[in-house]
């Protein structure tokens, strides 16, 4: 039978653990030099804030913005790399190019439509999976099942994409099986269509949707649902009025991530798409790829796409209305 | 006790697993094809591609190099990501949304743009292309993901624990290290797996920021020019098996850790 | 606490050690940067290991190879490195010269410094595409062509004698091409100059020609299963039987033939374009002298030419390279005399004009 001291032992362990690390922490907090530094830096909320903020801001504004500003600078030049002895002129031409011809607007709009559709598709596909992992499995098994899902992502994108090609090709695995079973006499052209593109993209983006969803679903306390059940709610009602609203954060983060990242995908659409599925990222990559001096145009188009994506996401988050809880606090 | 919803969800999960693993199964099988290209029908089988993976020093070096870079950038990303998350999490200040957006920026810029601009940028800060540059580039790209995962878990942390620690005499730093950090552990684990994945799969940054030693994706891309071959499939299969084994080992280790924690 | 953290720590430690061990040679190598080196950007397996070892032994110059997999990436990387490139020798296709030269990325080749220059086949050595502003800009190593590839089990050699077959409704949805390259071929097919050198001083005519080719391709867009970019894609498409006809580079198709796949390549009427890969020297190259030594050594070693052909499927420009190939390889990578006569090389004289018109046309075709 546990005595009082043993029962409170666990709390005491927080400040006086029984193993060898006790010495370190107690010695540290007792050390006068450390105490001085701590008083100087950590004593007030304000100081703590600035201590955290300064390095973080330096890192973020330095490394995150630096490369973008380089790109934006290039987008205003009339040629890059600068030919020796000549200062490149600053011009808006590269941006105007985008609006001048319909053949740039088409893939641009197409990309945003696609990305929205694929985001929704991924959400619909991954929500049941996340729900299954978070709610229907014991905590011990969750990790294992999650890991199982992660394994395919260890294979590089390119190799996976070629594997999808031999899965869906006219003489690919799927067609061989279908023809062998007598379900079709001629091969079905799965490849180089919106279907093959979607299949490849969902493969890439599902992880970015799954993890936030899983995290937010896992946090929903069991007793909320039990309480709802006690109050007479059926399983669908419980889902609709308890689980779904509480997972809004996860849905928001997942959708935002997937949308933004999918607008940038280039390799997979190029390999799996067809003549009518050109996405804007391809157009941009084209500027960096072909036999012409096109970096400035590519940079301008990237900036346009970045702005449009951020605006879209901003609108989406605004639409969600209420504060996004744990995402932004 | 299998209610209909349970059955439906379980089936859905396994169906999705089949969807994910089918291309992988094909990849493994193609590694045995006796030809220079992959595809059906397979007329002859051979194990020479798999054997070659372990004999090809270029591949082995590239794999080791990639692993090293992945681990280094993951560790760096964790530190910086946690720092940013702790900074952004509880604080309320003017411009917070802007800072948040800037933090997320690297995650949303398309790869090739980010890689090329990084290449020019490191020149501006006087850095040479090579291992350090790749690690930096990967870290910059990964930090937003770490920060997001930590932020979401941070928001769920019960304040009482930290307050209790403070009451008991710990200053913020000690409270953070001994209370907050252990609480964040699950998201840190997830974040590190994520970072390792992103680093391993990265081609653009390694290509533009690297030196003369190719990482595995760079090597594979170069080999790809001669066509997608069973050799490449065999390499990817071996990498997959090794990392899956490592992942399982890590999972077993952390299960023991979690078990005692509860 | 410590005992339970051990599994994860040991894993990390173990993985780190293993990774370090595997990566060790390269870390040590990069630390010895004071040695004589020559930096090369080229394709995989172009420079065979034994040649490399022999060269390093004979001259004491270490060859550092960086693998690039396409011209576009090489251009981007070199541009990002200006004004002090880290590379000495690059591998650039002749029809991309203009892009690199006008951006000031290359150094002209001083053929006097290459004692083995005459080993290169005169067809390439003395051709017009290699000369810009009176100087030679590359050392030719491999020759290729934009050919018509076809599945021999479906398409007959007679059908493949002309580019007509690409627009034959019988093969609707079963063709593929690289739009940019095919624009040049289409212009030739329609009776114009695909190099656009003839219209260099007549921008109106140039515009009209490009527009006609573009509209023609848009009209026949239904023929196309896919617009592709890389050799590996068209190879996979043939293997998967997603297409039976394609405009393709001779190299990747040769590799398919070498593997025994029922595909053949021809140069159909009225003709097509050829291109040549070169080794080029970067402007402000850090080790230009070592570069010339390496280039000379390569030119004097037919086995390097053999390795390049075997790896890429293209024809080597070095005398004696073909002797090292077996029958199948030799047949797969060569073209008949008559077909060769239908080839013109890409000429980059009018490239500025050409690509300023062709690139938007490519986008328009994609968007149509």
């Amino acid at each position: 039978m546990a005595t009082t001291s043993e029962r409170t032992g666990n709390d005491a362990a927080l400040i006086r653990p029984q193993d060898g690390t006790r010495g370190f922490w107690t010695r540290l907090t007792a050390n006068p030099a450390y105490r001085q530094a701590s008083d100087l830096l950590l004593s007030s909320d304000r100081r703590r804030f600035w201590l955290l903020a300064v390095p973080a801001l330096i890192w973020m504004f330095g490394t995150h913005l630096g490369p973008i500003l380089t790109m934006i600078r290039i987008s205003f030049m009339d040629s890059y790399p600068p030919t020796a002895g000549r200062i490149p002129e600053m011009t808006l031409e590269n941006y105007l190019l985008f609006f001048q011809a319909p053949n740039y607007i088409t893939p641009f709009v197409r990309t945003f439509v696609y990305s929205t559709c694929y985001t929704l598709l991924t959400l619909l596909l991954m929500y049941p999976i996340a729900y299954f992992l978070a709610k229907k499995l014991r905590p011990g098994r969750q990790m294992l099942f999650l890991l199982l899902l992660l394994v395919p992502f260890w294979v590089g994108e390119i190799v996976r994409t070629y594997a999808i090609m031999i899965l869906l090709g006219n003489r690919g695995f799927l067609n061989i099986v279908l023809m062998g079973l007598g379900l079709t006499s001629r091969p079905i052209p799965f490849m180089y269509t919106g279907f093959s593109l979607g299949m490849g993209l969902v493969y890439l983006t599902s992880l970015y949707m799954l993890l936030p969803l899983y995290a937010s679903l896992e946090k929903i306390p069991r007793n909320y649902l039990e309480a709802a059940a006690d109050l007479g709610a059926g399983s669908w009602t419980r889902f609709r009025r308890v689980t779904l609203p509480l997972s809004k954060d996860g849905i928001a983060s997942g959708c935002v991530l997937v949308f933004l990242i999918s607008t940038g995908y280039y390799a997979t659409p190029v390999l799996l798409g067809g003549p009518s599925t050109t996405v804007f990222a391809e157009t941009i990559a084209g500027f960096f790829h072909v036999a012409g001096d096109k970096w400035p145009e590519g940079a301008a188009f990237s900036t346009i796409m970045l702005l449009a994506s951020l605006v879209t996401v901003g609108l989406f988050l605004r639409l969600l209305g209420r504060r996004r809880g744990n995402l932004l606090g | 006790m299998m209610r209909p919803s349970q059955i439906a969800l379980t089936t859905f999960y396994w169906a999705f697993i089949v969807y994910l693993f089918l291309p992988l199964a094909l990849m493994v099988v193609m590694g045995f094809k006796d030809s220079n290209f992959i595809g059906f029908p397979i007329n002859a089988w051979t194990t020479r591609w798999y054997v070659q993976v372990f004999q090809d020093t270029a591949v082995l070096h590239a794999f080791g190099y990639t692993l090293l870079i992945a681990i280094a950038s993951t560790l760096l990303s964790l530190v910086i990501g946690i720092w940013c998350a702790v900074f952004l999490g509880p604080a309320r200040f003017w411009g917070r949304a802007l800072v948040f957006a800037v933090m997320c920026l690297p995650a949303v810029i398309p790869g090739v743009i980010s890689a090329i601009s990084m290449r020019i940028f490191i020149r501006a800060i006087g850095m040479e292309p090579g291992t350090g540059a790749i690690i930096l580039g990967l870290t910059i790209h990964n930090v937003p993901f770490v920060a997001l995962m930590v932020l979401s878990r941070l928001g769920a942390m019960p304040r009482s624990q930290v307050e209790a620690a403070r009451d008991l005499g710990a200053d913020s730093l000690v409270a953070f290290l001994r209370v907050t950090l252990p609480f964040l552990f699950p998201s840190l684990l997830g974040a590190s797996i994520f970072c390792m994945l992103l680093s391993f799969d990265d081609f653009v940054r390694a290509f533009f920021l690297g030196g003369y030693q190719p990482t595995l994706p760079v090597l594979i891309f170069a080999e790809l020019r001669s066509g997608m071959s069973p050799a490449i499939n065999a390499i990817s299969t071996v990498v997959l098996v090794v990392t899956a084994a490592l992942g399982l080992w890590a999972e077993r280790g952390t299960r023991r850790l979690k078990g005692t924690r509860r | 606490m410590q005992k339970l953290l051990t599994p994860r720590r040991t894993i990390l430690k173990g993985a780190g050690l293993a990774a370090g061990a595997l990566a060790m040679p390269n870390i040590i190598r990069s630390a010895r940067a004071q040695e004589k080196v020559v930096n090369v950007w080229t394709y995989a397996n172009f420079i065979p290991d034994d040649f490399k070892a022999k060269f390093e032994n004979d001259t004491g110059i270490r060859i550092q190879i960086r693998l690039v997999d396409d011209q576009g990436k090489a251009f981007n990387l070199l541009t990002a490195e200006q004004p002090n490139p880290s590379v000495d020798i690059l591998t650039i296709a002749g029809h991309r010269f203009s892009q690199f030269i006008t951006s000031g990325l290359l150094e002209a080749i001083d053929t006097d410094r290459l004692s083995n220059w005459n080993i290169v086949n005169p067809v390439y050595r003395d051709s017009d595409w290699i000369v810009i502003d009176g100087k030679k800009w590359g050392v030719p190593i491999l020759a290729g062509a934009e050919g018509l590839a076809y599945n021999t089990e479906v398409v007959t050699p007679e059908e493949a004698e002309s580019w007509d077959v690409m627009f034959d409704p019988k093969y609707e949805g079963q063709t593929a091409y690289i739009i940019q390259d095919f624009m040049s071929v289409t212009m030739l097919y329609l009776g114009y100059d695909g190099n656009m050198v003839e219209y260099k001083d007549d921008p109106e005519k140039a515009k009209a020609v490009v527009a006609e080719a573009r509209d023609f391709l848009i009209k026949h867009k239904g023929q196309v299963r896919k617009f592709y970019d890389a050799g590996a894609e068209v190879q996979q498409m043939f293997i998967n039987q997603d297409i039976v006809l394609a405009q393709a580079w001779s190299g990747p198709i040769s590799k398919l033939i070498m593997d025994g796949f029922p595909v053949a390549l021809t140069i159909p009427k009225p003709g097509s374009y050829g291109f040549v890969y070169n080794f080029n020297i970067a402007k402000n190259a850090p080790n230009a002298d070592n570069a010339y030594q390496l280039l000379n050594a390569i030119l004097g070693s037919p086995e390097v030419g053999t390795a390049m052909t075997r790896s890429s499927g293209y024809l080597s420009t070095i005398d004696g390279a073909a002797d090292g190939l077996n029958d199948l390889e030799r047949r797969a990578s060569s073209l008949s005399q008559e077909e060769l006569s239908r080839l013109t090389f890409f000429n980059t004289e009018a490239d500025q004009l050409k690509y300023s018109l062709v690139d938007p046309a490519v986008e328009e075709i994609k968007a149509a």
Side-chain angles (χ1 to χ4, degrees):
Chain A
M1 188 156 67
T3 64
T4 322
S5 55
E6 279 170 295
R7 254 187 280 125
T8 56
N10 274 333
D11 296 333
L14 208 59
I15 37 172
R16 266 208 313 275
Q18 302 306 308
D19 58 18
T21 62
R22 162 207 355 204
F24 173 74
W25 291 108
T26 319
R27 268 186 287 128
L28 181 70
T29 46
N31 181 306
Y34 176 79
R35 276 227 131 98
Q36 261 190 322
S38 170
D39 281 336
L40 183 64
L41 296 169
L42 301 175
S43 50
S44 79
D45 274 345
R46 226 190 140 74
R47 290 192 197 181
R48 273 201 302 274
F49 174 77
W50 285 109
L51 179 66
L52 282 175
V54 169
L57 288 174
I58 294 179
W59 168 267
M60 282 194 246
F61 281 82
T63 62
H64 294 196
L65 284 185
I68 297 189
L69 292 176
T70 313
M71 243 331 149
I72 295 184
R73 213 186 95 235
I74 295 181
S75 73
F76 286 116
M77 292 186 189
D78 64 343
S79 83
Y80 193 89
T83 33
R86 178 174 168 272
I87 309 209
E89 291 167 15
M90 294 299 172
T91 167
L92 275 181
E93 247 175 57
N94 305 317
Y95 286 92
L96 292 176
L97 181 64
F98 174 72
F99 297 104
Q100 272 163 7
N103 48 293
Y104 295 127
I105 307 252
T106 313
F108 183 74
V109 170
R110 193 188 276 149
T111 299
F112 277 80
V113 170
Y114 265 17
S115 290
T116 314
C117 292
Y118 284 127
T119 305
L120 286 172
L121 180 68
T122 314
L123 177 64
L124 288 174
L125 282 176
M126 298 320 294
Y127 199 96
I129 308 265
Y131 189 82
F132 174 71
L133 284 174
K135 293 272 163 270
K136 296 292 182 184
L137 289 176
R138 279 173 316 172
R141 312 280 305 276
Q142 280 178 21
M143 190 61 148
L144 199 58
F145 277 58
L146 192 57
L147 265 181
L148 199 58
L149 278 175
L150 286 180
V151 162
F153 295 91
W154 284 107
V155 179
E157 186 187 337
I158 286 292
V159 181
R160 231 171 36 219
T161 307
Y162 271 83
I164 294 181
M165 279 191 212
I166 57 175
L167 175 64
L168 297 179
N170 279 9
R171 199 166 51 170
F173 185 70
L174 204 54
N175 271 311
I176 291 180
V177 164
L178 287 175
M179 289 204 284
L181 290 176
L183 290 170
T184 169
S185 56
R186 315 208 59 209
I188 306 178
F190 291 114
M191 276 299 300
Y192 313 117
T193 59
F195 171 72
S196 55
L197 180 55
M199 190 168 174
L201 278 183
V202 167
Y203 215 123
L204 287 171
T205 57
S206 48
L207 201 60
Y208 294 105
M209 178 68 80
L210 177 67
L211 290 178
L213 278 180
Y214 169 72
S216 75
L217 281 170
E218 198 232 356
K219 273 185 297 197
I220 300 178
R222 234 204 180 108
N223 39 16
Y224 280 30
L225 290 165
E226 286 169 11
D230 288 342
L231 290 167
S235 57
W236 176 245
T237 319
R238 278 206 304 275
F239 174 75
R240 193 166 46 91
R241 306 199 60 191
V242 177
T243 316
L244 200 54
L246 285 176
S247 59
K248 261 217 172 84
D249 295 337
I251 296 180
S253 336
C255 285
V256 166
L257 262 180
V258 168
F259 178 79
L260 287 174
I261 292 174
S262 67
T263 53
Y265 275 137
Y266 157 69
T268 299
V270 160
L271 286 175
L272 294 179
S276 312
T277 65
T278 319
V279 296
F280 199 60
E282 261 183 80
T283 314
I284 294 181
F287 285 120
F288 288 99
H289 203 76
V290 294
D293 180 12
K294 290 280 167 55
W295 274 34
E297 286 91 330
F301 278 40
S302 308
T303 316
I304 293 176
M305 187 167 92
L306 194 59
L307 282 173
S309 307
L310 290 176
V311 163
T312 312
V313 166
L315 286 175
F316 171 67
L317 289 177
R318 182 65 67 86
L319 226 69
L320 272 192
R322 67 182 198 97
R323 305 180 67 184
R324 287 165 304 293
N326 298 322
L327 188 57
L328 261 195
Chain B
M1 190 243 341
M2 292 287 260
R3 297 191 341 264
S5 63
Q6 181 101 350
I7 301 177
L9 284 174
T10 318
T11 322
F12 192 78
Y13 174 81
W14 289 110
F16 192 70
I17 291 281
V18 168
Y19 157 74
L20 287 182
F21 277 79
L22 203 47
L24 295 196
L26 288 177
M27 175 187 81
V28 175
V29 166
M30 283 300 154
F32 289 106
K33 183 176 180 190
D34 191 2
S35 157
N36 283 315
F37 296 99
I38 62 169
F40 291 102
I42 303 181
N43 296 318
W45 303 81
T46 174
T47 53
R48 68 182 152 121
W49 304 119
Y50 280 101
V51 170
Q52 197 180 301
V53 173
F54 296 100
Q55 292 175 335
D56 189 344
T57 48
V59 169
L60 292 174
H61 284 162
F63 179 59
Y65 186 62
T66 313
L67 197 54
L68 203 67
I69 290 182
I71 294 176
S73 74
T74 300
L75 289 174
L76 215 52
S77 310
L78 280 177
V79 169
I80 300 179
I82 295 175
W83 190 292
C84 289
V86 169
F87 160 54
L88 271 178
R92 297 278 177 284
F93 57 93
W94 177 87
R96 188 163 175 268
L98 177 66
V99 175
F100 184 75
V102 171
M103 186 196 69
C104 291
L105 224 36
V108 306
I109 303 181
V112 68
I113 311 292
S114 146
I116 293 182
S117 41
M118 273 277 330
R119 181 72 177 81
I120 302 177
F121 178 69
I122 63 169
R123 169 64 64 66
I125 62 176
M127 195 180 209
E128 281 302 308
T131 314
I134 303 181
I135 294 179
L136 182 62
L138 285 174
T139 305
I140 294 177
H141 175 69
N142 292 342
V143 157
F145 296 103
V146 177
L148 282 173
M149 291 175 100
V150 171
L151 265 176
S152 104
R153 180 125 176 116
L154 207 55
M157 187 172 81
R159 305 234 54 167
S160 51
Q161 287 195 355
V162 176
E163 281 164 7
R166 300 296 303 282
D167 288 343
L168 289 165
D171 63 17
S172 323
L173 180 62
V174 173
F176 172 74
L177 289 175
R178 303 201 64 200
V179 177
T180 316
L181 218 46
F183 179 80
L184 289 176
F185 180 73
S187 66
L188 292 185
L189 189 63
S192 37
I193 294 180
F194 214 62
C195 284
M196 292 285 289
L197 264 176
L198 287 174
S199 310
F200 237 94
D201 202 8
D202 164 77
F203 168 76
V204 266
R205 284 166 196 87
F207 180 78
F208 281 97
L209 297 172
Y212 287 90
Q213 166 64 25
T215 61
L216 201 54
V218 172
L219 185 63
I220 289 182
F221 250 87
E223 295 285 343
L224 193 58
R225 195 178 168 88
S226 312
M228 177 54 83
S229 66
I232 298 178
N233 279 249
I235 296 173
S236 299
T237 308
V238 171
V239 169
L240 181 65
V241 168
V242 168
T243 47
L246 280 176
L248 259 173
W249 191 12
E251 190 263 341
R252 206 148 324 129
T254 55
R255 199 147 27 118
R256 258 187 288 153
L257 183 61
K258 270 181 135 180
T260 322
R261 189 175 293 287
R262 266 172 228 262
Chain C
M1 270 284 248
Q2 276 160 331
K3 194 157 157 260
L4 296 164
L5 277 175
T6 311
R8 189 163 52 120
R9 282 216 194 109
T10 35
I11 295 163
L12 282 182
K13 249 194 281 182
L17 276 173
L22 284 173
M24 199 47 72
N26 307 287
I27 298 181
I28 294 179
R29 216 188 293 162
S30 50
R32 295 181 312 177
Q34 275 76 23
E35 293 191 359
K36 294 204 290 177
V37 285
V38 63
N39 302 308
V40 184
W41 290 1
T42 188
Y43 298 110
N45 304 318
F46 263 28
I47 300 188
D49 286 334
D50 20 13
F51 169 83
K52 188 161 171 280
K54 184 162 175 296
F55 180 81
E56 287 176 350
N57 250 338
D58 292 345
T59 63
I61 303 174
R62 199 154 46 82
I63 304 179
Q64 291 197 125
I65 299 179
R66 187 194 187 125
L67 299 174
V68 288
D69 54 286
D70 76 24
Q71 306 276 303
K73 290 200 186 85
F75 177 76
N76 290 332
L77 194 50
L78 191 54
T79 304
E81 290 196 337
Q82 293 307 302
N84 294 315
S86 66
V87 63
D88 302 304
I89 297 180
L90 296 148
T91 313
I92 303 180
H95 60 291
R96 296 275 236 169
F97 273 4
S98 150
Q99 176 189 22
F100 282 80
I101 294 172
T102 50
S103 297
L105 299 173
L106 296 181
E107 198 73 60
I109 302 285
D110 182 0
T111 54
D112 293 333
R113 294 172 75 171
L114 293 172
S115 57
N116 286 327
W117 175 245
N118 295 312
I119 296 184
V120 176
N121 193 317
V123 168
Y124 313 112
R125 190 173 13 122
D126 299 325
S127 53
D128 55 347
W129 57 266
I130 204 179
V131 177
I132 300 185
D133 289 339
K135 292 182 268 204
K136 300 203 187 204
W137 292 86
V139 177
I141 47 171
L142 288 171
E146 306 275 3
L148 176 71
Y150 61 98
N151 187 322
T152 49
E153 289 174 350
V154 177
V155 180
T156 66
E158 292 76 39
E159 281 177 304
E161 280 203 353
S162 156
W163 285 111
D164 288 332
V165 70
M166 284 287 279
F167 308 109
D168 188 339
K170 180 173 165 204
Y171 297 114
E172 189 181 343
Q174 299 185 65
T175 72
Y177 53 78
I178 303 173
I179 307 188
Q180 225 192 23
D181 295 7
F182 203 53
M183 278 291 285
S184 306
V185 169
T186 306
M187 287 194 270
L188 184 64
Y189 175 69
L190 294 173
Y192 303 107
D193 172 20
N195 273 323
M196 300 198 74
V197 177
E198 280 177 33
Y199 322 121
K200 205 168 155 197
D201 301 313
D202 190 353
E204 284 308 312
K205 173 88 177 160
K207 235 187 263 185
V209 168
V210 171
E212 193 184 324
R214 174 202 64 198
D215 295 335
F216 185 78
L217 287 180
I218 292 182
K219 177 155 154 242
H220 290 104
K221 196 173 172 182
Q223 294 289 116
V224 180
R225 182 79 193 270
K226 172 141 178 81
F227 299 130
Y228 73 95
D229 291 314
E233 287 182 71
V234 74
Q235 288 167 329
Q236 203 60 53
M237 281 194 274
F238 269 114
I239 295 177
N240 287 346
Q241 292 188 337
D242 286 314
I243 56 170
V244 296
L245 279 170
Q247 165 263 326
W249 300 332
S250 54
I253 303 298
S254 305
K255 300 271 317 218
L256 267 185
I257 300 175
M258 287 185 203
D259 203 55
F261 190 78
V263 69
L265 184 95
T266 70
I267 310 295
K269 304 200 243 278
S272 185
Y273 291 100
F275 49 87
V276 179
Y277 285 101
N278 306 265
F279 275 145
N280 310 75
I281 299 192
K283 194 175 211 144
N284 296 328
N287 307 290
D289 297 328
N290 297 343
Y292 275 104
Q293 271 198 281
L294 179 59
L295 286 176
N296 218 24
I298 289 176
L299 285 179
S301 316
E303 73 266 20
V304 178
T306 313
M308 289 186 193
T309 301
R310 199 167 272 143
S311 150
S312 67
Y314 291 111
L315 207 54
S316 172
T317 59
I318 301 174
D319 237 5
D323 298 338
L325 300 169
N326 64 40
D327 274 340
L328 178 58
E329 289 169 338
R330 209 173 305 160
R331 251 185 309 122
S333 57
S334 55
L335 292 166
S336 75
Q337 213 37 48
E338 192 195 328
E339 290 183 323
L340 280 172
S341 70
R342 293 195 203 138
L343 270 185
T344 329
F345 283 117
F346 275 122
N347 188 315
T348 56
E349 246 186 272
D351 261 10
Q352 286 275 58
L353 173 68
K354 176 174 170 185
Y355 287 114
S356 69
L357 294 169
V358 167
D359 286 344
V362 168
E363 292 304 318
E364 282 157 24
I365 298 174
K366 279 196 197 164

